[in-house]
Amino acid sequence: MAPSLDDESSLFNFIVRDGNGVKGIVDSGISKVPRPYIQPPAEQINKKNASKCEIPPIDLSKLDGPEHDEVANQIVRAAETLGFFQVVNHGVPIQLLDSLKQIAHNFFGLPAERKAVYRKEVSPSPLVKYGTSFVPEKEKALEWKDYISMGYTNENEALQQWPMECRDVALQYLKTSHEMVKKLLDVLMANLGVELDDSNIDAFIGKKMVNMNFYPTCPNPELTVGVGRHSDMGTLTILLQDEIGGLHVKVPEIIDMEKKEEWVEIPPIPGALVINIGDMLQIWSNGRYKSAEHRVRTTSTKSRVSIPIFTSPQATQKVAPLPQVIEKDGIAHYREFLFSDYMNSFFGNAHAGKKSLDFAKIN
């Protein structure tokens, strides 16, 4: 049974420590959002203020034909401006994407004690973490989200350590998307003057992780956020969203659009995957590519799931703007650092737009 919504200490323990998550308080029959989830007015999302992003998806099958250069230009242009784009004909079977969404709903529908065994403090595997919000201990207001995170080292460890309820489908998703990730990175790196091959690709995407996110229905969506404003810390994120939508991206100042500095919603397109540029690509490109600031709204009508794959360098990898880019630019805008240090900074703070990049910026 959920504690009183007014007893914030007990509520925090019920949600975070005991593994009930947001779903636990929703299932207890709440009629209003508990105070720890009410965002400051500046962070609340007004659904009416975001227009739909009208950019059509990019057909990746055309990369293998006579339209290669045109499609490559579309990918580069998206990376240099919004930092977000959608792709179709990406090589990941549509049936698998449908299975993923169902498996995610099934996993979060499990009893709390079945999920709680994967809480960070007690998880039997360092690869698997079940949690809620982002960094609850650091946040002024919690995010309306539960998640399971599955780090990938190799197939054997994934099969042994990932939750049996979702491991096979999640692993298939990771494996079938790899070719697409390589193609996208190939295009983006070629534009920077770097040729990708088996000897250097791990420097960019040597670390991979599959998350399943669950956003339960919310009695007052206008007061909460599913995920607060942030950019992803890694290289590329591949996101499967369901038909409900709710993903908002900030239009950067640099875009010559009427909507600059406003938020646009990335509408769900059946069969499409959403790609977003992470902080590491912004740094390697010395700021030419833009990691996308984004957030997620909640909804009162239906629970929502999303399934991202996060790709990034290995923790021990040194990261800095690429020499080929500095040669052209004449100056580096970011310093060299170990990716593990960037991760510690990223996970040591609450979401705050693109402040994560301050760690590496040269002022």
Side-chain angles (χ1 to χ4, degrees), residues 80-99:
E80 290 177 339
T81 51
L82 197 57
F84 252 93
F85 54 100
Q86 299 203 63
V87 294
V88 292
N89 296 324
H90 39 62
V92 183
I94 304 300
Q95 199 175 351
L96 176 62
L97 299 182
D98 291 339
S99 296

mmCIF file of all heavy atoms in Angstrom, residues 80-99:
data_model
loop_
_atom_site.group_PDB
_atom_site.id
_atom_site.type_symbol
_atom_site.label_atom_id
_atom_site.label_comp_id
_atom_site.label_asym_id
_atom_site.label_seq_id
_atom_site.Cartn_x
_atom_site.Cartn_y
_atom_site.Cartn_z
ATOM 1 N N GLU A 80 23.623 18.876 -38.203
ATOM 2 C CA GLU A 80 24.174 20.228 -38.038
ATOM 3 C C GLU A 80 23.141 21.236 -37.536
ATOM 4 O O GLU A 80 23.497 22.340 -37.141
ATOM 5 C CB GLU A 80 24.741 20.741 -39.367
ATOM 6 C CG GLU A 80 26.009 20.021 -39.797
ATOM 7 C CD GLU A 80 26.516 20.482 -41.160
ATOM 8 O OE1 GLU A 80 25.731 21.049 -41.947
ATOM 9 O OE2 GLU A 80 27.704 20.245 -41.429
ATOM 10 N N THR A 81 21.868 20.858 -37.569
ATOM 11 C CA THR A 81 20.818 21.819 -37.212
ATOM 12 C C THR A 81 20.020 21.358 -35.995
ATOM 13 O O THR A 81 20.363 21.696 -34.862
ATOM 14 C CB THR A 81 19.889 22.067 -38.419
ATOM 15 O OG1 THR A 81 19.441 20.800 -38.931
ATOM 16 C CG2 THR A 81 20.610 22.835 -39.507
ATOM 17 N N LEU A 82 19.005 20.534 -36.195
ATOM 18 C CA LEU A 82 18.135 20.137 -35.092
ATOM 19 C C LEU A 82 18.781 19.082 -34.189
ATOM 20 O O LEU A 82 18.483 18.997 -33.006
ATOM 21 C CB LEU A 82 16.801 19.620 -35.657
ATOM 22 C CG LEU A 82 15.615 19.529 -34.703
ATOM 23 C CD1 LEU A 82 15.313 20.872 -34.065
ATOM 24 C CD2 LEU A 82 14.381 19.003 -35.433
ATOM 25 N N GLY A 83 19.672 18.257 -34.783
ATOM 26 C CA GLY A 83 20.274 17.177 -33.996
ATOM 27 C C GLY A 83 19.367 15.972 -33.845
ATOM 28 O O GLY A 83 19.687 15.018 -33.136
ATOM 29 N N PHE A 84 18.218 15.998 -34.520
ATOM 30 C CA PHE A 84 17.220 14.920 -34.468
ATOM 31 C C PHE A 84 16.720 14.643 -35.868
ATOM 32 O O PHE A 84 16.530 15.582 -36.651
ATOM 33 C CB PHE A 84 16.011 15.371 -33.644
ATOM 34 C CG PHE A 84 15.884 14.714 -32.306
ATOM 35 C CD1 PHE A 84 16.425 15.306 -31.181
ATOM 36 C CD2 PHE A 84 15.211 13.515 -32.161
ATOM 37 C CE1 PHE A 84 16.299 14.715 -29.937
ATOM 38 C CE2 PHE A 84 15.077 12.916 -30.922
ATOM 39 C CZ PHE A 84 15.631 13.522 -29.802
ATOM 40 N N PHE A 85 16.496 13.388 -36.208
ATOM 41 C CA PHE A 85 15.806 13.061 -37.454
ATOM 42 C C PHE A 85 15.206 11.669 -37.304
ATOM 43 O O PHE A 85 15.559 10.922 -36.390
ATOM 44 C CB PHE A 85 16.742 13.154 -38.673
ATOM 45 C CG PHE A 85 18.023 12.348 -38.572
ATOM 46 C CD1 PHE A 85 18.156 11.107 -39.190
ATOM 47 C CD2 PHE A 85 19.132 12.859 -37.888
ATOM 48 C CE1 PHE A 85 19.345 10.378 -39.115
ATOM 49 C CE2 PHE A 85 20.326 12.140 -37.810
ATOM 50 C CZ PHE A 85 20.427 10.902 -38.427
ATOM 51 N N GLN A 86 14.270 11.348 -38.213
ATOM 52 C CA GLN A 86 13.667 10.016 -38.198
ATOM 53 C C GLN A 86 14.093 9.260 -39.449
ATOM 54 O O GLN A 86 14.330 9.860 -40.496
ATOM 55 C CB GLN A 86 12.143 10.122 -38.141
ATOM 56 C CG GLN A 86 11.655 10.844 -36.887
ATOM 57 C CD GLN A 86 10.226 10.489 -36.512
ATOM 58 O OE1 GLN A 86 9.930 9.335 -36.198
ATOM 59 N NE2 GLN A 86 9.340 11.467 -36.521
ATOM 60 N N VAL A 87 14.198 7.932 -39.312
ATOM 61 C CA VAL A 87 14.611 7.109 -40.453
ATOM 62 C C VAL A 87 13.605 5.974 -40.676
ATOM 63 O O VAL A 87 13.037 5.441 -39.729
ATOM 64 C CB VAL A 87 16.032 6.506 -40.254
ATOM 65 C CG1 VAL A 87 17.087 7.614 -40.247
ATOM 66 C CG2 VAL A 87 16.130 5.675 -38.986
ATOM 67 N N VAL A 88 13.409 5.652 -41.956
ATOM 68 C CA VAL A 88 12.592 4.495 -42.341
ATOM 69 C C VAL A 88 13.440 3.594 -43.245
ATOM 70 O O VAL A 88 14.520 3.994 -43.682
ATOM 71 C CB VAL A 88 11.297 4.920 -43.074
ATOM 72 C CG1 VAL A 88 10.351 5.631 -42.116
ATOM 73 C CG2 VAL A 88 11.604 5.815 -44.273
ATOM 74 N N ASN A 89 12.947 2.390 -43.506
ATOM 75 C CA ASN A 89 13.719 1.390 -44.271
ATOM 76 C C ASN A 89 15.125 1.263 -43.697
ATOM 77 O O ASN A 89 16.129 1.302 -44.392
ATOM 78 C CB ASN A 89 13.763 1.760 -45.763
ATOM 79 C CG ASN A 89 12.388 1.721 -46.389
ATOM 80 O OD1 ASN A 89 11.560 0.876 -46.036
ATOM 81 N ND2 ASN A 89 12.102 2.648 -47.298
ATOM 82 N N HIS A 90 15.158 1.091 -42.356
ATOM 83 C CA HIS A 90 16.406 1.100 -41.596
ATOM 84 C C HIS A 90 16.995 -0.290 -41.377
ATOM 85 O O HIS A 90 18.084 -0.419 -40.819
ATOM 86 C CB HIS A 90 16.182 1.766 -40.236
ATOM 87 C CG HIS A 90 14.849 1.412 -39.630
ATOM 88 N ND1 HIS A 90 14.507 0.119 -39.304
ATOM 89 C CD2 HIS A 90 13.762 2.179 -39.347
ATOM 90 C CE1 HIS A 90 13.269 0.116 -38.813
ATOM 91 N NE2 HIS A 90 12.789 1.352 -38.834
ATOM 92 N N GLY A 91 16.256 -1.320 -41.764
ATOM 93 C CA GLY A 91 16.795 -2.681 -41.634
ATOM 94 C C GLY A 91 16.387 -3.399 -40.361
ATOM 95 O O GLY A 91 16.680 -4.581 -40.186
ATOM 96 N N VAL A 92 15.708 -2.712 -39.435
ATOM 97 C CA VAL A 92 15.212 -3.380 -38.221
ATOM 98 C C VAL A 92 13.767 -3.800 -38.504
ATOM 99 O O VAL A 92 12.937 -2.957 -38.826
ATOM 100 C CB VAL A 92 15.263 -2.445 -36.993
ATOM 101 C CG1 VAL A 92 14.819 -3.193 -35.736
ATOM 102 C CG2 VAL A 92 16.660 -1.866 -36.805
ATOM 103 N N PRO A 93 13.472 -5.109 -38.414
ATOM 104 C CA PRO A 93 12.123 -5.579 -38.788
ATOM 105 C C PRO A 93 11.012 -4.894 -37.979
ATOM 106 O O PRO A 93 11.125 -4.732 -36.761
ATOM 107 C CB PRO A 93 12.164 -7.085 -38.479
ATOM 108 C CG PRO A 93 13.622 -7.432 -38.450
ATOM 109 C CD PRO A 93 14.346 -6.213 -37.991
ATOM 110 N N ILE A 94 9.946 -4.497 -38.679
ATOM 111 C CA ILE A 94 8.812 -3.812 -38.035
ATOM 112 C C ILE A 94 8.174 -4.705 -36.970
ATOM 113 O O ILE A 94 7.766 -4.249 -35.906
ATOM 114 C CB ILE A 94 7.746 -3.399 -39.090
ATOM 115 C CG1 ILE A 94 8.373 -2.529 -40.194
ATOM 116 C CG2 ILE A 94 6.595 -2.656 -38.427
ATOM 117 C CD1 ILE A 94 9.003 -1.239 -39.725
ATOM 118 N N GLN A 95 8.122 -6.000 -37.262
ATOM 119 C CA GLN A 95 7.537 -6.960 -36.310
ATOM 120 C C GLN A 95 8.314 -6.948 -34.989
ATOM 121 O O GLN A 95 7.740 -7.047 -33.902
ATOM 122 C CB GLN A 95 7.594 -8.359 -36.940
ATOM 123 C CG GLN A 95 6.638 -9.340 -36.301
ATOM 124 C CD GLN A 95 6.652 -10.685 -37.037
ATOM 125 O OE1 GLN A 95 7.247 -10.831 -38.101
ATOM 126 N NE2 GLN A 95 6.009 -11.669 -36.439
ATOM 127 N N LEU A 96 9.636 -6.818 -35.085
ATOM 128 C CA LEU A 96 10.487 -6.762 -33.896
ATOM 129 C C LEU A 96 10.188 -5.491 -33.087
ATOM 130 O O LEU A 96 10.115 -5.522 -31.854
ATOM 131 C CB LEU A 96 11.966 -6.796 -34.304
ATOM 132 C CG LEU A 96 12.997 -6.650 -33.184
ATOM 133 C CD1 LEU A 96 12.880 -7.789 -32.179
ATOM 134 C CD2 LEU A 96 14.414 -6.599 -33.756
ATOM 135 N N LEU A 97 9.978 -4.376 -33.779
ATOM 136 C CA LEU A 97 9.666 -3.116 -33.091
ATOM 137 C C LEU A 97 8.339 -3.231 -32.339
ATOM 138 O O LEU A 97 8.210 -2.753 -31.211
ATOM 139 C CB LEU A 97 9.607 -1.957 -34.096
ATOM 140 C CG LEU A 97 10.905 -1.670 -34.886
ATOM 141 C CD1 LEU A 97 10.711 -0.473 -35.814
ATOM 142 C CD2 LEU A 97 12.086 -1.435 -33.954
ATOM 143 N N ASP A 98 7.368 -3.887 -32.968
ATOM 144 C CA ASP A 98 6.074 -4.095 -32.299
ATOM 145 C C ASP A 98 6.241 -4.983 -31.060
ATOM 146 O O ASP A 98 5.653 -4.719 -30.007
ATOM 147 C CB ASP A 98 5.060 -4.722 -33.263
ATOM 148 C CG ASP A 98 4.642 -3.748 -34.367
ATOM 149 O OD1 ASP A 98 4.798 -2.525 -34.174
ATOM 150 O OD2 ASP A 98 4.186 -4.214 -35.430
ATOM 151 N N SER A 99 7.068 -6.028 -31.201
ATOM 152 C CA SER A 99 7.324 -6.929 -30.056
ATOM 153 C C SER A 99 7.985 -6.181 -28.908
ATOM 154 O O SER A 99 7.660 -6.399 -27.741
ATOM 155 C CB SER A 99 8.247 -8.083 -30.462
ATOM 156 O OG SER A 99 7.639 -8.893 -31.416
#
